[in-house]
Amino acid sequence: KDNLGYLEPIEEFLRSLAREHNITLHVATGKPYVLSGVAVVNEHWTLDHEIDYLQGADIGLMPLHDTPRARGKCAFKALQYMAVGTPVVLSPVGMNAEVVIDGVDGFHATTPEEWREKLTRLITEPALRESMGRAARETVRTRYSHEVYYPVLKELLTKVAGTDLRT
């Protein structure tokens, strides 16, 4: 199953939001995505332009079903959006629940009503998008960056290298 299937649970309220607000859904993927009633821009995903896609978004979306596969996705897409200062709305599944501080650097959304309410807030409140985006970038900088984890990794590798692994 490709990642486009994760959009299915939020398609109906994306249509509703599109009727009420001037929104465009940008999808970076290897195959076209069509959602009737919603303006969709399909951008062919390439690694060379991934940062451009992430920076171009006003709001990052990461809807997930609570399945073993989804729990293993490790919040990577959320962290990518957050690193470029884009607030996210996501399903609090697996690491997503730990990475995003609900209401501070993004929103958790479980029910269709929560998705609708939180997306509407970010669509209609540019100052909230801006402050959450700054907080999201700060979260990545202080909790997940190379500067934070390199000393930890270096210490671990140094300990392991000095340990006789045959015992």
Side-chain angles (χ1 to χ4, degrees):
K1 179 178 183 175
D2 64 34
N3 289 331
L4 291 175
Y6 288 114
L7 291 172
E8 289 172 11
I10 66 170
E11 286 179 342
E12 193 52 46
F13 54 84
L14 287 175
R15 284 186 188 99
S16 175
L17 288 170
R19 285 190 297 271
E20 298 169 21
H21 307 281
N22 184 22
I23 65 168
T24 302
L25 179 65
H26 287 254
V27 181
T29 183
K31 65 181 189 179
Y33 177 74
V34 176
L35 181 57
S36 65
V38 178
V40 177
V41 173
N42 286 287
E43 302 183 52
H44 185 73
W45 184 90
T46 64
L47 182 59
D48 290 342
H49 294 286
E50 186 170 35
I51 291 174
D52 298 331
Y53 307 139
L54 296 165
Q55 289 176 325
D58 290 322
I59 304 165
L61 304 176
M62 194 174 176
L64 295 173
H65 302 286
D66 192 1
T67 64
R69 179 178 187 264
R71 285 190 294 273
K73 292 181 75 62
C74 82
F76 186 63
K77 184 58 66 186
L79 287 167
Q80 288 180 300
Y81 279 120
M82 294 168 71
V84 298
T86 301
V88 295
V89 179
L90 50 68
S91 302
V93 172
M95 285 298 297
N96 281 2
E98 295 178 38
V99 168
V100 169
I101 303 165
D102 188 40
V104 175
D105 50 18
F107 282 125
H108 296 174
T110 304
T111 66
E113 294 78 20
E114 288 177 351
W115 274 95
R116 180 175 177 66
E117 182 261 327
K118 292 173 179 186
L119 282 172
T120 298
R121 284 193 62 199
L122 287 172
I123 290 167
T124 61
E125 300 176 36
L128 178 63
R129 273 197 321 271
E130 181 66 29
S131 67
M132 277 191 162
R134 280 193 309 275
R137 180 139 172 74
E138 187 64 11
T139 294
V140 171
R141 189 187 70 72
T142 60
R143 292 174 48 203
Y144 300 102
S145 69
H146 174 267
E147 289 79 14
V148 171
Y149 276 100
Y150 176 73
V152 174
L153 179 62
K154 181 179 175 184
E155 181 180 343
L156 175 67
L157 293 175
T158 301
K159 283 181 182 177
V160 169
T163 302
D164 185 354
L165 297 177
R166 293 173 288 179
T167 60

